[in-house]
């Protein structure tokens, strides 16, 4: 059973979310503070976190960064009352995979949760490793290595890399990436894709930084202006 962690200090909202998600068939923990959420994430594996940005003890974005560090593969859905694009970008840069603005319907959250977890499970059913230069992407194990060394990627960064690797050498449109890596429910701007792509490039380059041989054979993600991207050998 998928394990969910709800981080919400508002008692009424927290109770409603917990009850709704339990009814949806998930194993749910509820933390009322950022501190207790991090303690839970240390103690137990978690597949998906529903994280309120406005918490009494810690900054929600900071909690997000720490959760991401503790559980790199977990999906993080942020909840916020704010709507400025700046906050969306801050959330994504903190490691969030998705974003819901309060007030929202429980059915909407459940749909997003199902879509995210279904995608994660589908990834597990594909027995395939793509090797390109010094990069190896184990799609099933959700492991990426450069020169044999693990690259720590966030869930959506790994999805992006998998999608590009699956079509290595061919152009993938922005629309296809948004559709395959996020889903049709995603309401955010295409900035989301740019932020994740920049992070992915940075992480791959960092992974190769100490190994000149790996760096020389690291594939590049080419930007195709007005279209999308192509992953190709250097
Ligand atoms: Ca709150």
């Amino acid at each position: 059973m998928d394990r969910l962690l709800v981080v919400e200090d508002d008692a009424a909202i927290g109770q409603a979310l917990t009850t709704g998600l339990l009814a949806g068939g998930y194993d749910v923990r509820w933390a009322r503070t950022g501190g207790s959420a991090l303690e839970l994430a240390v103690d137990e594996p978690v597949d998906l976190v529903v994280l309120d940005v406005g918490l009494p003890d810690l900054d929600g974005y900071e909690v997000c960064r720490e959760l991401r560090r503790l559980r790199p593969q977990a999906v993080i859905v942020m909840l916020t009352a704010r709507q400025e694009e700046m906050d969306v970008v801050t959330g994504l840069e903190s490691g969030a995979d998705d974003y819901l603005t309060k007030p929202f319907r429980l059915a909407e959250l459940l749909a997003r949760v199902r879509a995210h977890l279904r995608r994660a499970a589908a990834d597990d059913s594909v027995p395939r490793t793509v090797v390109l230069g010094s990069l190896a992407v184990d799609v099933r194990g959700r492991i990426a290595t450069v020169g044999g060394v693990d690259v720590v990627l966030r869930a959506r960064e790994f999805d992006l890399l998998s999608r590009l690797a699956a079509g290595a050498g061919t152009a993938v449109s922005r629309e296809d990436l948004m559709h395959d890596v996020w889903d049709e429910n995603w309401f955010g701007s295409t900035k989301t894709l740019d932020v994740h792509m920049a992070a992915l490039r940075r992480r791959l380059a960092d992974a190769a930084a100490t190994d000149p041989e790996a760096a020389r054979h690291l594939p590049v993600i080419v930007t195709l202006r007005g279209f999308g991207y192509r992953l190709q050998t250097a």
Side-chain angles (χ1 to χ4, degrees):
M1 192 187 290
D2 289 309
R3 304 178 71 110
L4 272 51
L5 171 60
V6 171
V7 189
E8 170 63 77
D9 60 304
D10 183 288
I13 297 175
Q15 187 62 58
L17 290 179
T18 304
T19 305
L21 291 167
L22 278 170
Y26 300 108
D27 181 1
V28 185
R29 301 278 187 281
W30 175 15
R32 290 161 186 261
T33 64
S36 57
L38 295 178
E39 281 174 25
L40 274 170
V42 168
D43 291 344
E44 301 175 358
V46 57
D47 298 301
L48 185 145
V49 183
V50 178
L51 172 65
D52 179 34
V53 173
L55 294 168
D57 58 333
L58 298 170
D59 174 59
Y61 299 111
E62 193 49 51
V63 174
C64 186
R65 272 188 285 274
E66 194 57 20
L67 284 170
R68 176 54 67 219
R69 193 185 65 75
L70 290 167
R71 299 288 171 190
Q73 302 296 338
V75 174
I76 302 178
V77 179
M78 272 195 155
L79 305 180
T80 181
R82 306 166 204 170
Q83 297 185 32
E84 290 84 0
E85 188 165 55
M86 191 58 219
D87 285 319
V88 174
V89 173
T90 306
L92 294 170
E93 285 178 345
S94 307
D97 298 294
D98 202 354
Y99 221 86
L100 267 175
T101 304
K102 292 178 181 176
F104 55 85
R105 292 178 307 118
L106 183 62
E108 171 67 11
L109 175 66
L110 271 168
R112 300 267 187 110
V113 166
R114 279 201 202 94
H116 281 295
L117 293 174
R118 194 168 52 229
R119 189 174 306 105
D123 290 345
D124 289 345
S125 69
V126 184
R128 206 153 70 96
T129 298
V130 179
V131 179
L132 202 65
S134 58
L135 172 72
V137 184
D138 174 354
V139 176
R140 182 175 190 158
R142 295 184 66 81
I143 298 165
T145 60
V146 168
V149 176
D150 282 2
V151 186
V152 178
L153 296 172
R154 297 168 181 166
R156 292 290 84 83
E157 290 163 5
F158 186 87
D159 292 340
L160 262 186
L161 181 61
S162 294
R163 181 65 186 81
L164 289 171
T170 62
V172 184
S173 71
R174 293 177 65 89
E175 289 73 24
D176 282 353
L177 284 170
M178 293 299 293
H179 179 269
D180 293 348
V181 174
W182 286 271
D183 59 47
E184 62 277 8
N185 290 323
W186 174 256
F187 76 96
S189 73
T190 57
K191 259 205 172 73
T192 305
L193 178 56
D194 299 326
V195 169
H196 280 75
M197 195 62 81
L200 176 58
R201 281 177 164 141
R202 198 166 55 237
R203 285 173 201 274
L204 292 176
D206 286 352
T210 55
D211 182 345
E213 190 64 14
R216 195 157 36 244
H217 298 291
L218 184 68
V220 289
I221 300 171
V222 179
T223 300
L224 305 168
R225 298 236 168 268
F227 183 79
Y229 300 91
R230 182 178 61 235
L231 180 70
Q232 64 178 48
T233 48

